[in-house]
Amino acid sequence: MQHGKTRHHWMAVTARPLVTAVCLMTPLAVTGTATAADAESPAPAVEQNTEVPLEEDLPLPDEPEEVDMGEDRHATGLQCKTGWYFDITKNKKNTMSVKYHTFVKNDKNYQIDFKFTSKKSGTTEVGASVTVSAEFKAPLLSQIKAEVQANAKKSWTSEIGIETYGKVKARDTVYGDYGIMKENVYGYRYYRGSACQKSNKTHMTAWAPYREGWVIK
């Protein structure tokens, strides 16, 4: 799910094209009115320090409200395979694990162009708010893929060199974050017996990476 805020622009392209709307591709590059620490312009903006802590859960533009999916909605039957499973009860707002942050300040009295280029890479893996085994991550990911996000992956490493372009208004500052989008859900881990009974429930927030791109604001 995606959450929007004033002046945020979220979009994605595979390489160099200029984009000014939300796009869904992998990898993604987003564009909006901004100028990056790589500003290439006849009147370049002042590059700013980008060595700041990176957000692990940056809100995404235009995310709808979370959806309550209910508990124990799956039908039970006679052929129940025993083992550990994960049930999703709530589809939460998605977020971005930021891998690279940059911004630029335009000190001019007129609008100038910008270009951001991702310069650092990082990896986001399927995970949960409680400790889970490597074996349990498989059914967790399987449930996310089946119910909310078919593009979810076990692991995703962001690319370097993905560009985005736009404009910086006079006397304005634009910020850019490049990273990996996370599908966030809430649910519970449980053990299913031979008669489909559930036991040993543990509630948790879980996530899986599904896309990468720019968020410009």
Side-chain angles (χ1 to χ4, degrees), residues 33-39 44-50 101-107 112-116 167-169 171-176 217:
T33 38
T35 278
D38 320 311
V46 178
E47 183 174 339
Q48 304 295 318
N49 178 18
T50 61
H101 173 80
T102 187
F103 71 102
V104 69
K105 182 178 181 181
N106 180 7
D107 290 328
I112 63 174
D113 296 329
F114 85 87
K115 180 179 77 172
F116 289 158
K167 303 287 185 181
V168 191
K169 295 179 181 179
R171 303 291 177 181
D172 199 4
T173 301
V174 175
Y175 301 85
K217 55 188 176 182

Side-chain angles (χ1 to χ4, degrees), residues 38-58:
D38 320 311
E40 294 182 358
S41 166
V46 178
E47 183 174 339
Q48 304 295 318
N49 178 18
T50 61
E51 294 301 321
V52 297
L54 301 177
E55 291 193 51
E56 179 56 35
D57 285 293
L58 178 73

Side-chain angles (χ1 to χ4, degrees), residues 10-214:
W10 156 237
M11 49 208 74
V13 297
T14 50
R16 297 176 177 272
L18 171 63
V19 186
T20 55
V22 176
C23 307
L24 303 179
M25 300 182 69
T26 40
L28 314 174
V30 188
T31 71
T33 38
T35 278
D38 320 311
E40 294 182 358
S41 166
V46 178
E47 183 174 339
Q48 304 295 318
N49 178 18
T50 61
E51 294 301 321
V52 297
L54 301 177
E55 291 193 51
E56 179 56 35
D57 285 293
L58 178 73
L60 294 177
D62 304 321
E63 275 290 290
E65 293 301 315
E66 60 184 34
V67 177
D68 191 343
M69 302 174 69
E71 292 198 30
D72 300 320
R73 66 191 182 284
H74 299 295
T76 59
L78 297 178
Q79 297 180 349
C80 282
K81 185 177 179 179
T82 61
W84 288 98
Y85 291 87
F86 180 73
D87 266 7
I88 298 172
T89 60
K90 188 175 293 185
N91 192 1
K92 299 172 65 67
K93 291 181 179 181
N94 293 348
T95 55
M96 171 191 278
S97 176
V98 178
K99 307 305 182 185
Y100 177 69
H101 173 80
T102 187
F103 71 102
V104 69
K105 182 178 181 181
N106 180 7
D107 290 328
K108 308 297 182 181
N109 291 320
Y110 49 84
Q111 178 176 277
I112 63 174
D113 296 329
F114 85 87
K115 180 179 77 172
F116 289 158
T117 304
S118 59
K119 294 182 176 180
K120 293 182 180 180
S121 179
T123 300
T124 295
E125 298 182 345
V126 61
S129 57
V130 301
T131 301
V132 296
S133 66
E135 292 77 13
F136 180 73
K137 290 182 179 180
L140 193 161
L141 176 62
S142 177
Q143 203 66 17
I144 291 176
K145 288 172 67 71
E147 295 203 50
V148 294
Q149 180 53 258
N151 294 323
K153 305 293 183 184
K154 178 180 178 181
S155 178
W156 195 299
T157 300
S158 61
E159 295 191 21
I160 294 175
I162 303 300
E163 299 175 346
T164 184
Y165 307 82
K167 303 287 185 181
V168 191
K169 295 179 181 179
R171 303 291 177 181
D172 199 4
T173 301
V174 175
Y175 301 85
D177 291 289
Y178 193 81
I180 299 169
M181 273 56 77
K182 296 160 60 178
E183 183 69 45
N184 297 319
V185 299
Y186 183 80
Y188 59 91
R189 172 182 58 188
Y190 68 95
Y191 186 82
R192 187 166 70 189
S194 58
C196 295
Q197 73 275 22
K198 297 179 180 181
S199 61
N200 299 317
K201 288 185 179 181
T202 302
H203 288 80
M204 67 187 76
T205 296
W207 58 84
Y210 69 96
R211 187 176 295 126
E212 66 181 277
W214 282 100

